[in-house]
Amino acid sequence: MTSPHAVTGSPRRLLLRAALRRDATLVGAWSLVLLAVVAASAIATPGLYPDAASRVRAAEAIDASPALVALYGPILDPRNPGELAMAKLTVLYALALAALVVVVVRRHTRGDEEAGRTELLASTRLGRTAQLDAAVLLGAGVALGVGALAAGVDVASGLSLTGSAAFGASWAGLGLVCVGLTAVAAQIATTARGTSALVLVVLGLWFALRAVADVAAIGRPEPGAWSTALGWASPLGWGTRLHAWGEPRWWLLGLWAGLAVALTLLARRLADRRDLGSGIVADRPGPARGRLTAPLGLALRVQRGALLGWSAALLGTGLLAGALAPGVGDLLDTAGGRDVLRRLGGAGALGDALIGAVCALAGIAVAAWGIGVVARADDDEQSGRLELLAATPISRMRTARTVALTALAPPLGLLGLVGVGCLVALTLGGAPAPPTRVLGAALAPWPAAALVVAVALCGWAVRPAVLGGALRGPVVGWLTLAASVVLGELGPLLRLPGWIVGLSPFDHVPAAPSVPAWSAAQGVMALLAAVLTAIAVRRFSRRDLG
Amino acid sequence: MTTPAIEASGLVKAFGATRALDGLELTVAAGEVHGFLGPNGAGKSTTIRALLGMLRLDRGTLRLLGSDPWRDATSLHARLAYVPGDVALWPRLTGGEVIDLLLRARGLEPARTDRDVLVERFGLDPSKRCRTYSKGNRQKVALVAAFAAPVELLVLDEPTSGLDPLVAEVFAACVREHVDAGAAVLLSSHVLGEVDHLAERVTIIRAGRTVTTGRLDELRHLHRTRVRARLPEGVEPRLPAGVELDRDGAIVRLSVEPAALPAVLGALAEAGVTELTAAPPSLEELFLDAYRPPA
């Protein structure tokens, strides 16, 4: 017997519809930006390299540069204009789609569970894994949808049909794998933050494996067995190995799909076995007494795990960059390598370029750390944790100063770790470099990162009452960071005027160590960041809480 | 005369188009337990946040222990303790760590407070991670941290909503101990028995305004007494005008204004009453009267 008020449609479809409504803005905006980048690259790049000869020359230059190969993967089939047009997108920007999928799946699995919403749903007629299923379906839909649209945009921009389809499939494939990966991570970790941390560790590992494999293969027509194995071990390496713009290896699609299905089944199995609210690793009792003092001691204690993880990741990044950089010397012995090196400014320049590029990426990453701290502060306020402390004699000013300090200072240390890792690897590799030069390059992006974080702090402190309060501090921060990165990437491609590209703080970071690490622009950015932070701290102590 | 713990008059706070507080009045004398009541959304939590200097008022005057809660927030916070209605804690810290953190935040050395005794009395396991605590256990963490501090004012927002009856009794005992030591308590609660038990005076608010305030016994006096009587079949008592009678066979039920009580009792006696009970209005009825939106 069904009640007269029974809802129609399967429970799963209901969940899916509810989830879609929550995600529409995020998914829509994120996909639009991604597709805009696809369109801009597909339309603009063929104009930059009109004939096959120019494309082959460009491909040779890129393939000879460990920096570019480490970041983007090799250029394999330059005769097809699509290969060069999608060079940055195949691996590196596919990570942006991966990030979207991770956010979507995480939000509807561990995020809901942590917030206690899952409990409410699990008490209804929905099954134990219904919510996981809905999240996976939604994530898969996003991955497939964006992949299909990317292929469509490529075709509409004049690239070849087969290549575009294979390229879109490679995006969708990585997206699907990340859906499964996040679903598993959400069963293991007990918090939403922990879930993304696990996913990031795996993605970082995959990226490093691929980078090492691709760089090791530079200038070798027959790459060694170990580098081949490394490349295939990483799903991020499959994007270029699909040969989308030459003779696509369509069977690779089965690899992505198979891994995605296997991970999803594993996640369902784990979800079916564990208690609601728990992870795979049980919570152990802790100290019955504490020595923490608020607010700084508390902040450091709460961020300890994340800071350790970030430190390890950035130290590893530095080590990797330092290990790959000296390999440039081998290029001198390969055909065409000498010519490429000379044109780019002589020996050492390519190694420097790799270190510079890695430091620039690290700068963007540490800005994300700062925004994450602002997001934590916002979360403390929303959840009511801040209320407990705000009712003690700790002043609002001190609370705000602590948030600012823990958002801005660790990025400096983390960037320093990139430099240290780089130096250690260079020294071990028998190519020692002057410490000040490498450390200078590593720290160079800090003022730009600090400026972005300061904008996020202002958004948190002022809490503009626009968009129905949706424009919270962390949102302001993420939007600023995304806009800065997109401007930096699209600006040169679309030949935007310098002042527009210059709106991105990261545009003013010198490409050290090839050029001096410090410029007046960085001083201005550091000053601006300091002023904005001071405004944020004052402003926070004057507004309503909650 | 000592300074009142809380003196609020004409409090107004608007969030956009909604007026959360609309001329609220509240006075809590030094050393008294004051019940703070009202239906959901009446503005109790908003008032409390204003008391704690977390909200800036649009209008009205508010003094807490003689000071301005917005301007002198930090110095006032050293003299009060607060337990929120919905206690959120740091998921990875243990309850013991949070208690010590909150005590240190108010400049106390946890080892020199009653912390251990209170942990024992409330039956809290301080070595568990906050993530694993139930609502009631999270509440205990906040209560222990609040009661372990010697303060002049306790601000308690639905402090027992997740507690079992035994722990609620420990809570009541702790409140009394603090009052005996001279503290004033603002007790926002929906547990009417608890308010009846602990509070000398109450303030009932609705839609951001104070509806009723006063001593509980006086408030009771202002309200109707319920009378139940057994009368011989077929006899109609000659009741004063305006008193409604509800008859069920031999049993009649009446709700009587205090002023009309002598006349009603006379009429019942005249009608040959054989059985009579009269009960003062329960707190519940007081609330329902005050909560109900005006027709």
Side-chain angles (χ1 to χ4, degrees):
Chain A
M1 200 186 91
T2 55
S3 105
H5 301 293
V7 272
T8 51
S10 80
R12 226 157 268 182
R13 203 169 308 153
L14 279 177
L15 270 184
L16 206 57
R17 213 177 305 150
L20 261 178
R21 228 172 327 197
R22 250 173 91 198
D23 288 343
T25 322
L26 175 80
V27 172
W30 200 313
S31 323
L32 265 184
V33 170
L34 267 176
L35 294 172
V37 175
V38 173
S41 304
I43 294 167
T45 315
L48 298 175
Y49 308 99
D51 53 27
S54 66
R55 286 200 294 273
V56 170
R57 268 199 307 279
E60 274 173 0
I62 291 175
D63 283 344
S65 157
L68 299 179
V69 170
L71 289 178
Y72 308 137
I75 302 290
L76 299 168
D77 303 287
R79 283 154 303 157
N80 189 329
E83 175 81 32
L84 212 54
M86 295 295 113
K88 286 184 171 186
L89 291 92
T90 305
V91 176
L92 193 63
Y93 294 7
L95 288 174
L97 171 60
L100 171 62
V101 166
V102 171
V103 169
V104 165
V105 175
R106 180 192 81 162
R107 170 188 267 193
H108 298 292
T109 51
R110 187 51 77 170
D112 271 354
E113 197 168 333
E114 197 183 6
R117 283 186 288 267
T118 304
E119 201 171 350
L120 205 60
L121 284 169
S123 67
T124 66
R125 64 199 174 109
L126 299 169
R128 196 190 306 277
T129 59
Q131 219 181 353
L132 175 64
D133 294 345
V136 165
L137 278 179
L138 187 66
V142 170
L144 291 170
V146 175
L149 285 172
V153 165
D154 268 356
V155 174
S157 309
L159 299 182
S160 75
L161 186 62
T162 318
S164 300
F167 166 76
S170 78
W171 267 27
L174 182 69
L176 288 177
V177 168
C178 287
V179 168
L181 183 64
T182 314
V184 172
Q187 311 310 316
I188 297 172
T190 52
T191 59
R193 273 170 203 284
T195 305
S196 4
L198 270 180
V199 172
L200 274 179
V201 165
V202 174
L203 282 179
L205 201 68
W206 285 352
F207 194 86
L209 284 181
R210 184 209 58 77
V212 169
D214 286 345
V215 170
I218 288 179
R220 295 195 183 90
E222 285 301 318
W226 66 269
S227 71
T228 310
L230 276 188
W232 281 103
S234 161
L236 277 172
W238 301 347
T240 50
R241 280 159 186 79
L242 176 67
H243 290 291
W245 304 97
E247 297 281 318
R249 298 163 164 164
W250 292 110
W251 55 266
L252 247 165
L253 302 188
L255 215 52
W256 274 307
L259 183 57
V261 169
L263 286 169
T264 304
L265 289 178
L266 176 63
R268 288 197 73 188
R269 226 183 135 80
L270 293 174
D272 219 24
R273 288 180 168 203
R274 68 181 179 86
D275 300 339
L276 184 66
S278 73
I280 294 300
V281 186
D283 279 296
R284 266 173 310 182
R289 295 166 184 287
R291 271 170 303 170
L292 295 178
T293 49
L296 188 60
L298 173 68
L300 292 179
R301 169 71 173 78
V302 167
Q303 296 169 16
R304 189 174 66 191
L307 197 54
L308 282 175
W310 276 72
S311 301
L314 288 180
L315 187 67
T317 306
L319 285 168
L320 191 64
L324 293 177
V328 181
D330 304 343
L331 281 174
L332 288 171
D333 302 327
T334 67
R338 216 160 294 179
D339 180 45
V340 170
L341 271 181
R342 202 178 50 242
R343 263 192 291 153
L344 287 172
L350 284 177
D352 281 357
L354 173 62
I355 292 169
V358 167
C359 291
L361 280 179
I364 294 168
V366 296
W369 162 275
I371 298 169
V373 171
V374 176
R376 237 181 242 270
D378 184 57
D379 188 38
D380 276 350
E381 189 177 348
Q382 292 309 301
S383 66
R385 281 188 289 269
L386 180 63
E387 209 175 32
L388 270 184
L389 282 181
T392 70
I394 294 169
S395 74
R396 298 268 286 274
M397 201 81 118
R398 235 177 106 197
T399 305
R401 274 202 298 262
T402 306
V403 174
L405 183 70
T406 50
L408 291 167
L412 197 60
L414 291 169
L415 287 173
L417 281 176
V418 176
V420 169
C422 220
L423 273 175
V424 168
L426 284 171
T427 310
L428 290 178
T436 48
R437 209 166 108 85
V438 176
L439 283 178
L443 298 182
W446 183 76
L451 184 52
V452 171
V453 175
V455 171
L457 281 167
C458 276
W460 166 70
V462 174
R463 201 177 43 179
V466 290
L467 294 178
L471 210 55
R472 317 193 65 81
V475 179
V476 171
W478 292 124
L479 285 179
T480 310
L481 184 61
S484 304
V485 173
V486 170
L487 265 185
E489 292 298 330
L490 280 191
L493 214 52
L494 299 180
R495 300 199 175 113
L496 292 177
W499 67 268
I500 294 187
V501 180
L503 287 175
S504 161
F506 298 103
D507 187 51
H508 305 286
V509 178
S514 307
V515 298
W518 297 106
S519 69
Q522 281 158 298
V524 173
M525 287 195 292
L527 193 68
L528 211 54
V531 170
L532 286 178
T533 304
I535 291 174
V537 168
R538 281 186 74 81
R539 183 69 202 127
F540 175 72
S541 50
R542 283 163 194 217
R543 75 157 162 88
D544 291 351
L545 280 193
Chain B
M1 160 112 199
T2 47
T3 344
I6 299 171
E7 264 182 300
S9 83
L11 302 191
V12 174
K13 176 73 187 180
F15 297 109
T18 46
R19 280 197 150 195
L21 300 183
D22 194 7
L24 187 123
E25 312 277 329
L26 173 68
T27 307
V28 176
E32 77 163 340
V33 179
H34 193 99
F36 190 42
L37 310 146
N40 296 327
K44 297 188 298 289
S45 292
T46 305
T47 307
I48 287 175
R49 297 164 77 78
L51 291 176
L52 296 170
M54 294 177 189
L55 292 182
R56 205 206 279 265
L57 292 162
D58 297 334
R59 271 216 304 278
T61 55
L62 178 56
R63 309 289 288 174
L64 207 68
L65 303 169
S67 307
D68 178 341
W70 179 268
R71 214 191 47 226
D72 308 320
T74 47
S75 59
L76 272 176
H77 289 171
R79 302 164 65 191
L80 62 82
Y82 166 55
V83 176
D86 198 354
V87 180
L89 302 170
W90 293 265
R92 309 294 287 268
L93 301 190
T94 63
E97 281 181 298
V98 171
I99 291 169
D100 290 358
L101 172 81
L102 290 173
L103 288 173
R104 282 215 176 80
R106 48 182 73 256
L108 298 168
E109 175 51 44
R112 283 199 221 118
T113 65
D114 292 341
R115 173 219 193 261
D116 291 340
V117 181
L118 286 163
V119 164
E120 185 74 31
R121 279 173 79 182
F122 276 96
L124 177 75
D125 179 351
S127 64
K128 279 175 94 176
R129 309 265 173 207
C130 292
R131 210 180 69 71
T132 62
Y133 281 141
S134 64
K135 174 173 164 53
N137 278 323
R138 288 201 301 271
Q139 208 110 29
K140 288 181 196 171
V141 170
L143 284 169
V144 169
F147 284 133
V151 289
E152 294 164 58
L153 173 66
L154 283 164
V155 180
L156 310 173
D157 192 358
E158 296 185 35
T160 56
S161 53
L163 302 183
D164 66 55
L166 283 179
V167 179
E169 261 184 32
V170 176
F171 163 80
C174 285
V175 167
R176 282 206 203 88
E177 286 160 25
H178 275 258
V179 171
D180 290 345
V185 180
L186 181 71
L187 175 64
S188 153
S189 175
H190 286 302
V191 185
L192 307 178
E194 179 177 279
V195 175
D196 203 6
H197 211 51
L198 287 171
E200 290 114 57
R201 295 198 315 135
V202 298
T203 293
I204 303 180
I205 67 168
R206 186 180 61 224
R209 278 199 206 106
T210 305
V211 185
T212 305
T213 183
R215 295 186 63 83
L216 267 174
D217 42 11
E218 286 166 5
L219 288 180
R220 280 216 170 88
H221 195 67
L222 290 174
H223 286 73
R224 290 157 181 265
T225 299
R226 278 178 309 153
V227 177
R228 179 181 173 281
R230 184 184 292 275
L231 297 179
E233 291 280 350
V235 178
E236 283 296 324
R238 284 184 295 160
L239 294 171
V243 176
E244 298 278 320
L245 176 141
D246 183 14
R247 183 147 202 170
D248 178 12
I251 305 293
V252 294
R253 287 192 180 79
L254 307 99
S255 175
V256 188
E257 300 271 358
L261 206 52
V264 169
L265 290 181
L268 290 175
E270 198 182 305
V273 59
T274 56
E275 197 184 308
L276 180 72
T277 55
S282 71
L283 203 50
E284 218 155 318
E285 283 166 310
L286 273 182
F287 294 138
L288 290 176
D289 268 1
Y291 278 25
R292 227 169 258 132

